[in-house]
Amino acid sequence: MSQNLSYTKAQGIILQDAIQRDLTTGRRSALLQILWHERYLTRTQLMKRVELRLGKDCFGVSAWEDTFYRDMQVIKKAFKAAGFTLSYNRNKPQTGYYLEGQPAISSELQKILRSSVKEVDARQIEIYHRLTLADRFRQGCSISDTARKVVAFRIRHDNPNLSLTEANLMALERAYRL
C-alpha cells in the first residue's frame, strides 16, 4: 500500500472521530456527502436529510438559518478546493443546490440504483399493488415492528442485564435519534 493511501486512511479515521464528537463537523460532513452524490436539493431537503443522520434540531432551534448558511459557505469552499462549483438553481423543476457541470446524481449512486432496479421482482410489485390500503399499512407496521425487535435483540445480546422493555425503549430511542 502506498504511503499516500495509508495517510488518507489515517486521516479518515481522525475525521470520523471528529464527526462523532463535534456536531458542526458532523453536519458539514453530511452536507458534503449528500451533495457529492445528489443535486437539486433545497435547504429544507438538505436539512431533513442531515437531521435523519444526526438527529432533530442538529442545526439548532433558534438560529438554524444562520447555522445552515455558515455550513454551506464551508461546503462551497470544500467543493471549490476539489475543483467543483456549488451553485443554487431557482428555476423549476430542478430547484436547489447543484454542482455545475455534474449530472443530477453521481455515477456511484447511478450504479447503486441500477443494481437495485435489477433486484426488483415485477411479480412481487404486482401482488403488492393488489393489496388493500389497510393490508399495506399492516405490512408496513409489521416490518417496522420486526426491525425494532431485531435491534432490541442485538441490544440485549450486548447488554444481557437489560430487560426486554429496556432494550425495546433503547431501540426506539435509536430510531428517533437518527
Side-chain angles (χ1 to χ4, degrees):
M1 186 180 325
S2 74
Q3 282 188 324
N4 285 340
L5 186 57
S6 296
Y7 181 73
T8 302
K9 284 185 176 187
Q11 279 184 317
I13 297 296
I14 291 171
L15 177 61
Q16 285 303 317
D17 180 63
I19 288 168
Q20 291 175 357
R21 292 174 184 270
D22 179 55
L23 189 56
T24 301
T25 304
R27 280 193 320 266
R28 291 173 180 177
S29 177
L31 285 166
L32 183 70
Q33 185 179 34
I34 291 164
L35 287 166
W36 186 260
H37 293 289
E38 297 179 70
R39 317 310 173 232
Y40 304 105
L41 297 170
T42 63
R43 175 181 68 187
T44 302
Q45 291 168 326
L46 283 169
M47 288 179 70
K48 290 294 181 192
R49 298 255 181 109
V50 172
E51 285 180 342
L52 282 172
R53 293 179 184 196
L54 301 177
K56 189 170 174 13
D57 298 328
C58 65
F59 286 92
V61 177
S62 59
W64 59 267
E65 290 170 318
D66 292 335
T67 301
F68 181 82
Y69 176 79
R70 283 191 306 274
D71 287 350
M72 290 306 291
Q73 294 307 306
V74 173
I75 298 305
K76 285 180 181 182
K77 286 179 187 176
F79 275 120
K80 188 172 185 170
F84 297 95
T85 302
L86 181 66
S87 297
Y88 191 89
N89 185 22
R90 298 186 190 299
N91 300 324
K92 292 184 179 181
Q94 290 187 313
T95 303
Y97 291 92
Y98 70 99
L99 293 177
E100 291 182 12
Q102 297 298 309
I105 57 175
S106 69
S107 59
E108 297 150 85
L109 189 53
Q110 286 177 5
K111 288 177 188 173
I112 292 168
L113 291 173
R114 276 191 222 110
S115 174
S116 296
V117 167
K118 288 178 184 176
E119 294 177 17
V120 173
D121 184 351
R123 293 173 299 178
Q124 189 62 37
I125 291 174
E126 189 179 318
I127 292 168
Y128 183 75
H129 282 294
R130 283 192 231 139
L131 294 175
T132 66
L133 189 56
D135 287 337
R136 290 183 200 177
F137 181 77
R138 272 192 289 281
Q139 190 175 44
C141 289
S142 175
I143 291 168
S144 295
D145 192 46
T146 301
R148 181 194 39 78
K149 286 178 181 178
V150 167
V151 171
F153 174 81
R154 289 182 181 158
I155 290 170
R156 257 187 111 191
H157 183 267
D158 293 341
N159 305 286
N161 56 334
L162 288 178
S163 70
L164 183 57
T165 303
E166 291 169 321
N168 276 310
L169 181 61
M170 288 177 73
L172 285 171
E173 286 173 351
R174 284 184 187 180
Y176 287 105
R177 189 175 57 225
L178 298 174

